[in-house]
Amino acid sequence: MKNRYLLLTVAIFSVLVIGCANAEKKTSGETVVFDLTISDDATPAVVERILQYQEKPIKAIKFNKGTYHFYPDKGYEKFAYISNHGDLMVNTPFPLEHFKNITIDGQGSTFIFHGVMIPFFIVNSENIMVKNLSIDWQDSFHSEGLIVANNVKNKTFDMQISDEYPYEIRNGQIYFIKEYYEHTLGQSILYDPKRKAIAFNTEAYTGITTFKTATTSHNTNNINYKYIVDKRDLEYKYLGKENRLFVEELKPGLVRVHGHGKKLPPVGLILSMKGTQGFNRTSPAFKITHVNGFNGENINIHHAGGMGLIAENSSDLILDCFNVTPSQGRMVSTTADATHFVGCRGKVVLKNCTFNNQLDDASNVHGTYQKIVDILGPNKLGVRMMHHQQKGFVIAQPNDTIGLVRLEKSFFPYGSLTVKDIKYINNRYQIIAFNETLPKELEVGDLIENLSAYPNLLVQNCTISNNRARGLLLSNPKNTVIEDNVFSTEMEALLLPVESSFWFESGNATNVVIKNNTFIDCQHSGFNKGVIRLVTDDNNEHIAFRNIIISNNTFKQFDNLILEVSNTDGLKFEKNVISNSETFPQLNPENPIVKIEKSKNLEFSDNENNGNATDFFEPDYK
Amino acid sequence: MKNRYLLLTVAIFSVLVIGCANAEKKTSGETVVFDLTISDDATPAVVERILQYQEKPIKAIKFNKGTYHFYPDKGYEKFAYISNHGDLMVNTPFPLEHFKNITIDGQGSTFIFHGVMIPFFIVNSENIMVKNLSIDWQDSFHSEGLIVANNVKNKTFDMQISDEYPYEIRNGQIYFIKEYYEHTLGQSILYDPKRKAIAFNTEAYTGITTFKTATTSHNTNNINYKYIVDKRDLEYKYLGKENRLFVEELKPGLVRVHGHGKKLPPVGLILSMKGTQGFNRTSPAFKITHVNGFNGENINIHHAGGMGLIAENSSDLILDCFNVTPSQGRMVSTTADATHFVGCRGKVVLKNCTFNNQLDDASNVHGTYQKIVDILGPNKLGVRMMHHQQKGFVIAQPNDTIGLVRLEKSFFPYGSLTVKDIKYINNRYQIIAFNETLPKELEVGDLIENLSAYPNLLVQNCTISNNRARGLLLSNPKNTVIEDNVFSTEMEALLLPVESSFWFESGNATNVVIKNNTFIDCQHSGFNKGVIRLVTDDNNEHIAFRNIIISNNTFKQFDNLILEVSNTDGLKFEKNVISNSETFPQLNPENPIVKIEKSKNLEFSDNENNGNATDFFEPDYK
């Protein structure tokens, strides 16, 4: 088995090297050099030249080293849906659409953005390289408050808010006011400024509870909907809810928060607040859609109002020394995932990257499940996007193979079809024509996934720490290698989920190699969960995960539980070294090292346990 | 002079008749007939056939007479900016884009829409006829409450809300919940159910005062903006404001409103509430953009969440028996203007129409002013859309004549240029290249308007009554004939404005004939203003209006003031008959019939005054 995954790694890199060499050869056009004369607002000059691309081809855009500001006022605008983001109207200085073989080289420059913008908007393009630059925002899309007091009797806590986070209070609600943007308290989590990381056991205190049930309504239950309604979508966001917090200003910059329902945040910690879910992801740093070949190299993303990079329906994406780290004394870097790949194929490589302090996962690799709602002919289906964050996503290209899935029966497709044509009707509804006749067993309510749109994934020599949420979410039935990385995450370092009915993120994991990684104090925010977890949200015995190898890793954990396995057929856990870090008090000392459910063909061998756990397995594991 | 405008009228009609005849001859393609088998949700079948138009041309779409429901779930989606509306994402069953010579004939059918949809989305098309159908919505975009009590001491009023307007209360604010939509109390006005019209003197009571100044803010004044900021735009909507009302439920369907700042609404009247300005216009019935030739005939629009018809950059638009009237016992028809024309040219005709009970003007005809913010070369300008409701509007086509305007100097252009090319950068900023060199006197800060994009306007034999706001807003320097109409509006029947610095709606009125109309009890909502007003919002002596004829009209008014004239050179007011209606008590008995400012060459002759006014002119008018 060891030989198999080594060979895979080698194969991936061979393709990679050849790919890059080809890209270099094909470049043509002029090299555009921008200098600091445009630094006050580089947007108009950059937009002007980029819009001339088709008539005057460009092989490279270089920036003389320095700091460049980018304002939205004269930025190029383009409508777009973006997976797991909320906004449709993109404003960007780099509208790279139908670009080919171009390098953008910051030569060490820093780009400072102002307001709701997307620094790099790259769509329907090929072989794009962006390198040697840092991205930051003048005003952040989140705000931070230092907890300076709390009062258990009155159930209040006090926050000191520095001048860099202007605010106003409207009807007892705090709004943080930015250049071109504002946000509520909304989604929040505690940081420990000493560790510059998510606070230990933050789950006991956060998220600050902002909503409660609204109790007065009249006749609203009699509203009838003809079709499926997604009550999580933004138009229903506040239905049946009202604010439960009350915020008052004690003196300028010092506010008292009443009405929090969890434990009161401890003094000395910093509360990061990023506004209401669904409205707080408007400005990822890189949006990449239908791009074949993207290289991001020596990039530092210090902030973004959303993800560092969101890639959709793209292939061959290589991030090398592509870092997400905070700046300007902020606890937080990006306000959502560092990177996120939806429906990507070919190879996806993250190497030598640091993903620190972002407010969501370091990476999430998956496809989408969409629901069959209409059988429209012998080879035609009407499908519905189920999750509102996937609205507008087109699941496939002609000739892609679509898997037909009925999760009550299996996590693996019961059949497949190839796409002839997709007609986009609206962001929720598309009509797919197939080359073949629909199988007889197909029923309205079944799901589809795109079996052609999963990648060969390599995550190598990366450091993932101090962020909210997970390290890597892996829903990839192709091949995945996770090696030589360091993880210190407040939730799972590695989560292999099948999340079919909440997020509708498709992809049961198969052929996953996790080796030579170091895991330090993961799951420290208070969840009673493993560092590596394989889980499904459908409660059945079917197999979701196959051929998983976890070997030669080092676990330095404050608590016992390392691995949770469920619905798995074929897993090796070997030559791993487990020790106790003593960094934090143990939260769940009764836990074993490994929990297993609904699984078979598991091998555990040559692991070294120097930790505190009494049991390797749960006592009743046979 | 009389001969001149008669000739104009005849000329308009000759073109009209010929135009229609030509359209009939050119049609080709199949006639599609839909029947009631699709009536439960006609959207998917209609969308499917319309999307096949290019391969399978259509000359007519007919509906067998009946009631058809249209849901958005499978409606066609298209991004679009719409003047004076708030939404970008259109969902429509009739996406008529690049259509030519087609008739849609409802044959007397009623189309019932559900949620945020645009029934007819017609863009980049030619010779489109829609006829013989009624448009309504299952749930309205506004809500109505009957005032059942008020308490002067406690400053509260109570509203009975019927089951057709479900609501919930969140933190003391009422939200009306609809199928796919919700709205706040927001913009409101009183209706008198006996007259089924705007209540007399409603301005004393409404709009209900929903906002007050938020008093707590920290450091928000230190936010610096590099460029012009439009604080009226939606992202700044709530800046510095908070809710001032508090709503409580007394029993199901009965609510008490605290905190209103004007006089308490009288018992027995109906409060129409349509939600927060800027968010409450999502669903006009007809959106028409870049269409040359549109006929709407025998159309009844009973409701729309926005305007009945909004036409932009289009030409030759004929509405004949195109009516806006309420249904289902509602006080309100459309929640905004019945019709609105921005940058339209050729002829615009409204004849034999009824525009009743809409919540804004019956029609508004104007261009746009945009501000020169950058001089980018010898023949190139960067311009900014100043009003947020005009975002995304493209002011001109190649070869159009652009007027250069400096309002401190004149309401008429000081120069003109012809357009070579417009580059759309974003919804606020566009770059215009001209065929000529820019004149030396051109300065950043000057305005532009499109002199090619005004129409020959005829409004004939229409009834405009019971609506909020004005009858007709006319900012048209071409030719305008308003004849044989009946007006009964709560504000001006006819407003000829130059609104350069608030709405940025361009067009100083010239060559306007207003004859044989009947005006009944206009301006009854409490404003001390004339029935017909020519006004500018720039306080200077320059001439804005020329060659205005007001003749042979009948005014049956409860109050004295008929005509306000300002900044006018050349106006005849002759053979008009004025009487007193006694419908309402006089609000301003001290007024004369005519007020005049900054004007010259005015003629008043052969008018018959049977009304209550002591003075025809103000006492100091010489």
Side-chain angles (χ1 to χ4, degrees):
Chain A
M1 184 56 84
K2 193 176 179 184
N3 285 345
R4 213 186 72 86
Y5 63 73
L6 272 177
L7 275 171
L8 172 68
T9 313
V10 171
I12 286 175
F13 278 101
S14 306
V15 174
L16 232 173
V17 170
I18 294 162
C20 286
N22 281 349
E24 286 299 320
K25 277 181 206 162
K26 279 187 282 180
T27 52
S28 66
E30 86 170 289
T31 294
V32 177
V33 181
F34 289 107
D35 65 28
L36 286 161
T37 56
I38 65 163
S39 66
D40 281 358
D41 181 8
T43 301
V46 173
V47 167
E48 185 190 14
R49 185 60 189 90
I50 283 178
L51 293 183
Q52 294 166 351
Y53 173 81
Q54 299 304 333
E55 306 92 66
K56 288 168 65 185
I58 306 172
K59 70 175 174 186
I61 299 176
K62 295 185 179 188
F63 289 81
N64 287 351
K65 188 175 176 177
T67 298
Y68 296 80
H69 289 263
F70 290 87
Y71 286 85
D73 300 69
K74 297 169 189 177
Y76 190 74
E77 168 185 293
K78 182 90 188 176
F79 294 98
Y81 284 105
I82 313 175
S83 277
N84 301 86
H85 285 76
D87 209 22
L88 304 178
M89 180 58 76
V90 173
N91 183 298
T92 180
F94 291 98
L96 306 186
E97 193 164 4
H98 302 297
F99 275 55
K100 206 168 169 178
N101 305 328
I102 184 171
T103 296
I104 296 173
D105 186 351
Q107 301 190 118
S109 292
T110 297
F111 290 180
I112 309 275
F113 291 83
H114 295 257
V116 178
M117 300 185 80
I118 295 187
F120 291 95
F121 178 84
I122 310 172
V123 297
N124 297 314
S125 291
E126 271 179 58
N127 291 325
I128 308 296
M129 161 78 91
V130 181
K131 64 182 182 181
N132 304 325
L133 56 88
S134 296
I135 292 170
D136 206 346
W137 257 263
Q138 181 75 22
D139 285 1
S140 63
F141 289 91
H142 78 294
S143 301
E144 299 179 6
L146 176 66
I147 308 299
V148 292
N150 59 43
N151 184 319
V152 176
K153 194 179 148 212
N154 297 330
K155 294 185 179 170
T156 63
F157 65 91
D158 298 350
M159 271 194 298
Q160 187 73 49
I161 298 166
S162 71
D163 284 356
E164 72 184 293
Y165 303 110
Y167 65 82
E168 68 179 30
I169 296 176
R170 305 173 195 153
N171 297 105
Q173 304 305 310
I174 191 163
Y175 293 83
F176 293 95
I177 311 298
K178 318 282 179 172
E179 207 184 3
Y180 311 93
Y181 184 74
E182 64 174 52
H183 70 82
T184 61
L185 193 155
Q187 294 183 288
S188 59
I189 196 163
L190 284 168
Y191 271 83
D192 179 346
K194 294 194 196 79
R195 292 171 37 246
K196 212 170 176 179
I198 297 294
F200 174 67
N201 204 19
T202 188
E203 284 299 321
Y205 311 99
T206 59
I208 300 298
T209 54
T210 55
F211 289 118
K212 63 180 176 183
T213 302
T215 50
T216 306
S217 70
H218 179 62
N219 214 34
T220 55
N221 290 335
N222 289 333
I223 297 170
N224 292 316
Y225 294 95
K226 187 173 174 63
Y227 299 103
I228 305 171
V229 169
D230 178 3
K231 287 281 172 83
R232 296 176 299 177
D233 205 349
L234 300 188
E235 62 262 44
Y236 306 104
K237 183 79 192 169
Y238 302 112
L239 196 64
K241 285 190 254 181
E242 61 182 6
N243 296 316
R244 64 173 284 163
L245 297 182
F246 173 77
V247 181
E248 59 172 332
E249 187 181 63
L250 301 179
K251 59 182 188 180
L254 180 65
V255 300
R256 178 162 292 170
V257 181
H258 303 250
H260 178 45
K262 290 187 171 185
K263 283 175 76 174
L264 297 171
V267 170
L269 298 184
I270 289 176
L271 188 68
S272 143
M273 299 160 279
K274 66 170 183 176
T276 309
Q277 189 178 31
F279 300 99
N280 61 11
R281 294 177 172 196
T282 63
S283 302
F286 286 83
K287 173 199 157 66
I288 292 173
T289 306
H290 289 295
V291 172
N292 298 322
F294 172 80
N295 284 62
E297 209 176 285
N298 296 321
I299 302 289
N300 294 300
I301 300 173
H302 293 309
H303 186 73
M307 297 177 183
L309 179 144
I310 170 71
E312 302 165 278
N313 283 324
S314 294
S315 64
D316 300 329
L317 312 171
I318 321 289
L319 307 186
D320 186 356
C321 198
F322 186 97
N323 308 309
V324 171
T325 59
S327 68
Q328 304 183 46
R330 296 171 187 154
M331 291 294 116
V332 169
S333 56
T334 60
T335 67
D337 313 47
T339 68
H340 197 120
F341 301 87
V342 188
C344 291
R345 62 187 82 188
K347 54 184 175 294
V348 171
V349 177
L350 288 71
K351 58 179 176 178
N352 312 315
C353 300
T354 299
F355 299 126
N356 277 356
N357 294 66
Q358 67 275 4
L359 286 176
D360 214 328
D361 315 315
S363 197
N364 187 341
V365 180
H366 62 88
T368 64
Y369 285 122
Q370 300 183 354
K371 187 167 272 186
I372 297 169
V373 291
D374 294 315
I375 296 171
L376 297 169
N379 69 342
K380 201 184 276 189
L381 295 175
V383 299
R384 179 181 156 88
M385 323 287 112
M386 294 304 289
H387 196 278
H388 71 93
Q389 288 187 342
Q390 292 165 6
K391 289 200 302 194
F393 185 79
V394 177
I395 197 170
Q397 323 296 312
N399 300 317
D400 281 359
T401 300
I402 291 294
L404 303 167
V405 185
R406 191 174 305 156
L407 291 169
E408 311 89 86
K409 201 169 131 189
S410 172
F411 290 111
F412 291 83
Y414 66 78
S416 68
L417 295 162
T418 64
V419 172
K420 187 178 173 189
D421 170 66
I422 295 196
K423 197 158 271 173
Y424 183 97
I425 304 298
N426 64 45
N427 59 63
R428 288 281 194 181
Y429 187 68
Q430 296 174 19
I431 295 172
I432 309 183
F434 296 97
N435 294 311
E436 306 82 14
T437 303
L438 304 177
K440 276 185 193 150
E441 63 265 47
L442 186 148
E443 285 175 10
V444 164
D446 290 350
L447 302 178
I448 62 168
E449 66 174 318
N450 186 346
L451 299 175
S452 303
Y454 292 107
N456 288 314
L457 172 68
L458 172 67
V459 181
Q460 188 185 56
N461 195 35
C462 295
T463 299
I464 295 171
S465 63
N466 305 345
N467 61 302
R468 193 196 80 84
R470 281 70 53 116
L472 306 174
L473 259 87
L474 306 168
S475 304
N476 185 17
K478 286 248 162 82
N479 299 295
T480 299
V481 176
I482 310 294
E483 62 181 7
D484 300 322
N485 305 288
V486 177
F487 295 88
S488 182
T489 54
E490 58 113 16
M491 291 168 72
E492 295 88 340
L494 298 170
L495 178 60
L496 286 64
V498 178
E499 296 191 312
S500 57
S501 59
F502 186 81
W503 291 107
F504 292 90
E505 296 181 349
S506 74
N508 46 338
T510 309
N511 308 326
V512 180
V513 176
I514 300 165
K515 62 165 183 167
N516 297 334
N517 302 286
T518 302
F519 299 86
I520 305 169
D521 293 322
C522 297
Q523 283 289 13
H524 68 255
S525 64
F527 291 107
N528 184 1
K529 292 179 179 174
V531 176
I532 301 174
R533 290 178 73 227
L534 292 77
V535 283
T536 74
D537 65 358
D538 289 78
N539 188 22
N540 63 38
E541 305 272 325
H542 305 311
I543 293 305
F545 311 105
R546 285 180 179 154
N547 192 21
I548 314 292
I549 296 171
I550 305 170
S551 69
N552 292 91
N553 299 288
T554 302
F555 295 88
K556 297 179 184 167
Q557 287 285 124
F558 73 100
D559 221 339
N560 298 349
L561 187 59
I562 300 296
L563 177 66
E564 286 184 86
V565 180
S566 176
N567 302 74
T568 300
D569 179 4
L571 175 143
K572 287 191 185 184
F573 186 86
E574 58 187 13
K575 298 179 186 162
N576 299 293
V577 178
I578 297 161
S579 63
N580 193 290
S581 70
E582 312 287 350
T583 310
F584 307 115
Q586 282 195 254
L587 288 170
N588 300 288
E590 72 288 358
N591 272 338
I593 291 172
V594 176
K595 290 186 179 178
I596 298 166
E597 272 189 348
K598 308 164 190 168
S599 297
K600 58 190 175 184
N601 298 317
L602 312 183
E603 287 180 46
F604 294 84
S605 58
D606 300 328
N607 297 297
E608 190 181 321
N609 178 16
N610 306 319
N612 292 341
T614 322
D615 301 312
F616 196 88
F617 299 106
E618 284 173 294
D620 58 349
Y621 182 69
K622 56 182 175 8
Chain B
M1 184 57 80
K2 192 175 177 185
N3 284 345
R4 212 188 73 87
Y5 62 73
L6 271 178
L7 275 171
L8 171 68
T9 313
V10 171
I12 286 174
F13 278 101
S14 305
V15 174
L16 232 173
V17 170
I18 294 162
C20 285
N22 282 348
E24 287 297 320
K25 275 181 205 160
K26 278 186 284 181
T27 51
S28 64
E30 88 171 285
T31 295
V32 177
V33 181
F34 288 108
D35 64 30
L36 286 161
T37 56
I38 64 164
S39 66
D40 281 357
D41 180 8
T43 300
V46 172
V47 167
E48 184 189 16
R49 185 60 190 89
I50 283 177
L51 293 182
Q52 294 165 352
Y53 173 80
Q54 298 305 333
E55 306 93 68
K56 288 166 65 182
I58 306 172
K59 70 174 175 185
I61 299 176
K62 295 185 179 187
F63 289 81
N64 287 352
K65 188 175 176 177
T67 298
Y68 295 80
H69 288 264
F70 291 87
Y71 286 84
D73 300 67
K74 297 169 188 176
Y76 190 74
E77 169 185 290
K78 182 90 190 177
F79 294 98
Y81 284 105
I82 311 174
S83 276
N84 300 86
H85 285 76
D87 209 23
L88 304 179
M89 180 59 75
V90 173
N91 183 298
T92 179
F94 291 98
L96 306 186
E97 194 163 5
H98 303 297
F99 274 55
K100 207 169 168 176
N101 306 328
I102 184 172
T103 297
I104 296 173
D105 186 350
Q107 301 189 118
S109 293
T110 297
F111 290 179
I112 309 276
F113 292 84
H114 295 256
V116 179
M117 301 186 79
I118 296 187
F120 291 94
F121 178 85
I122 309 172
V123 298
N124 297 314
S125 292
E126 271 179 60
N127 292 326
I128 308 296
M129 160 78 92
V130 181
K131 64 182 183 181
N132 305 325
L133 56 88
S134 296
I135 291 171
D136 206 345
W137 256 264
Q138 181 76 23
D139 285 1
S140 63
F141 289 92
H142 78 293
S143 302
E144 300 179 6
L146 176 67
I147 308 299
V148 292
N150 60 43
N151 184 319
V152 177
K153 194 179 150 214
N154 296 331
K155 295 185 179 170
T156 63
F157 65 91
D158 299 349
M159 269 194 298
Q160 187 72 48
I161 298 166
S162 70
D163 285 355
E164 73 184 293
Y165 302 110
Y167 65 83
E168 68 180 28
I169 297 176
R170 305 174 194 152
N171 298 106
Q173 304 305 309
I174 192 163
Y175 293 83
F176 293 94
I177 311 299
K178 317 285 180 171
E179 207 183 4
Y180 312 93
Y181 184 74
E182 64 175 51
H183 70 81
T184 62
L185 193 154
Q187 294 182 288
S188 60
I189 196 163
L190 284 168
Y191 271 84
D192 179 346
K194 292 192 199 83
R195 292 171 38 246
K196 211 170 176 178
I198 297 294
F200 174 67
N201 203 19
T202 188
E203 283 300 319
Y205 311 99
T206 58
I208 300 298
T209 55
T210 54
F211 288 118
K212 63 180 175 183
T213 303
T215 51
T216 306
S217 70
H218 179 62
N219 214 34
T220 55
N221 290 334
N222 291 332
I223 297 170
N224 292 316
Y225 296 95
K226 186 173 175 63
Y227 299 104
I228 306 170
V229 169
D230 178 3
K231 288 281 172 87
R232 295 176 299 175
D233 205 348
L234 299 189
E235 61 262 44
Y236 307 103
K237 183 78 192 171
Y238 301 112
L239 197 65
K241 284 190 254 180
E242 60 182 6
N243 297 316
R244 64 173 285 164
L245 296 182
F246 172 77
V247 180
E248 60 172 331
E249 187 181 64
L250 302 179
K251 60 182 187 180
L254 180 65
V255 300
R256 177 161 293 171
V257 182
H258 303 251
H260 178 45
K262 290 187 171 184
K263 283 175 75 174
L264 296 171
V267 170
L269 298 185
I270 288 176
L271 188 68
S272 143
M273 300 161 278
K274 67 172 183 176
T276 309
Q277 188 176 33
F279 300 99
N280 61 12
R281 292 177 172 197
T282 63
S283 303
F286 286 82
K287 173 199 157 66
I288 291 173
T289 307
H290 289 294
V291 172
N292 297 322
F294 171 80
N295 284 62
E297 209 176 286
N298 296 320
I299 301 288
N300 294 301
I301 299 173
H302 294 309
H303 187 72
M307 297 178 183
L309 178 144
I310 169 71
E312 301 165 279
N313 284 324
S314 294
S315 65
D316 300 328
L317 311 171
I318 321 290
L319 308 186
D320 186 355
C321 198
F322 185 98
N323 307 309
V324 171
T325 59
S327 67
Q328 304 183 46
R330 296 170 186 154
M331 290 294 116
V332 170
S333 56
T334 61
T335 67
D337 313 47
T339 67
H340 197 121
F341 302 86
V342 188
C344 292
R345 62 186 79 187
K347 55 183 175 295
V348 170
V349 177
L350 287 73
K351 59 179 176 178
N352 313 314
C353 299
T354 299
F355 299 125
N356 276 357
N357 294 67
Q358 67 276 3
L359 286 176
D360 214 328
D361 314 316
S363 198
N364 187 342
V365 180
H366 62 88
T368 65
Y369 285 122
Q370 301 183 355
K371 187 167 271 186
I372 296 169
V373 292
D374 294 315
I375 297 171
L376 296 170
N379 70 342
K380 202 185 273 190
L381 295 175
V383 299
R384 180 181 155 87
M385 323 286 113
M386 295 303 289
H387 196 278
H388 71 93
Q389 287 188 343
Q390 293 166 6
K391 289 201 301 195
F393 186 79
V394 177
I395 198 171
Q397 322 297 312
N399 300 317
D400 280 0
T401 300
I402 291 292
L404 302 167
V405 185
R406 192 174 304 156
L407 291 169
E408 313 88 88
K409 203 168 131 188
S410 171
F411 290 111
F412 291 83
Y414 65 79
S416 68
L417 295 162
T418 63
V419 172
K420 188 177 173 191
D421 169 67
I422 295 195
K423 198 160 270 173
Y424 184 97
I425 304 298
N426 64 46
N427 59 63
R428 287 282 194 182
Y429 187 69
Q430 297 174 19
I431 294 172
I432 310 184
F434 296 98
N435 293 312
E436 306 82 14
T437 303
L438 304 176
K440 278 185 189 150
E441 64 264 47
L442 186 149
E443 286 175 10
V444 164
D446 290 349
L447 302 178
I448 62 168
E449 66 174 319
N450 187 347
L451 299 176
S452 303
Y454 292 107
N456 287 312
L457 172 67
L458 172 67
V459 181
Q460 188 185 55
N461 195 35
C462 294
T463 299
I464 294 172
S465 63
N466 305 344
N467 61 302
R468 194 196 79 86
R470 281 71 53 119
L472 306 174
L473 260 86
L474 305 168
S475 303
N476 186 17
K478 286 247 162 85
N479 300 295
T480 298
V481 176
I482 310 295
E483 63 180 7
D484 301 321
N485 305 288
V486 177
F487 295 88
S488 182
T489 55
E490 60 112 15
M491 290 169 73
E492 294 88 340
L494 298 171
L495 178 61
L496 285 63
V498 177
E499 296 192 311
S500 59
S501 59
F502 186 83
W503 291 106
F504 291 91
E505 296 182 348
S506 73
N508 46 339
T510 309
N511 309 326
V512 180
V513 175
I514 299 165
K515 63 165 183 164
N516 297 333
N517 302 286
T518 303
F519 299 86
I520 306 170
D521 293 321
C522 297
Q523 283 289 13
H524 68 255
S525 64
F527 292 107
N528 184 1
K529 291 180 178 173
V531 175
I532 301 174
R533 290 178 73 227
L534 291 75
V535 285
T536 75
D537 65 359
D538 289 78
N539 188 22
N540 64 36
E541 306 271 325
H542 305 311
I543 294 304
F545 311 104
R546 285 180 179 154
N547 193 20
I548 314 292
I549 297 171
I550 305 171
S551 70
N552 293 91
N553 300 286
T554 303
F555 296 89
K556 297 178 186 168
Q557 287 286 122
F558 72 99
D559 221 340
N560 298 348
L561 187 59
I562 301 296
L563 177 66
E564 285 184 88
V565 181
S566 177
N567 302 73
T568 301
D569 179 4
L571 175 141
K572 287 191 186 185
F573 186 86
E574 59 187 12
K575 298 179 187 161
N576 299 292
V577 179
I578 297 161
S579 63
N580 192 290
S581 72
E582 312 287 350
T583 311
F584 307 116
Q586 281 194 256
L587 289 170
N588 301 286
E590 72 287 359
N591 273 337
I593 291 171
V594 177
K595 289 185 180 178
I596 297 166
E597 272 188 349
K598 309 163 189 168
S599 297
K600 58 190 174 184
N601 298 318
L602 312 183
E603 287 180 46
F604 294 85
S605 58
D606 301 329
N607 297 295
E608 189 182 322
N609 178 19
N610 307 319
N612 292 341
T614 324
D615 301 312
F616 195 88
F617 300 106
E618 284 172 295
D620 59 350
Y621 183 70
K622 56 183 173 18

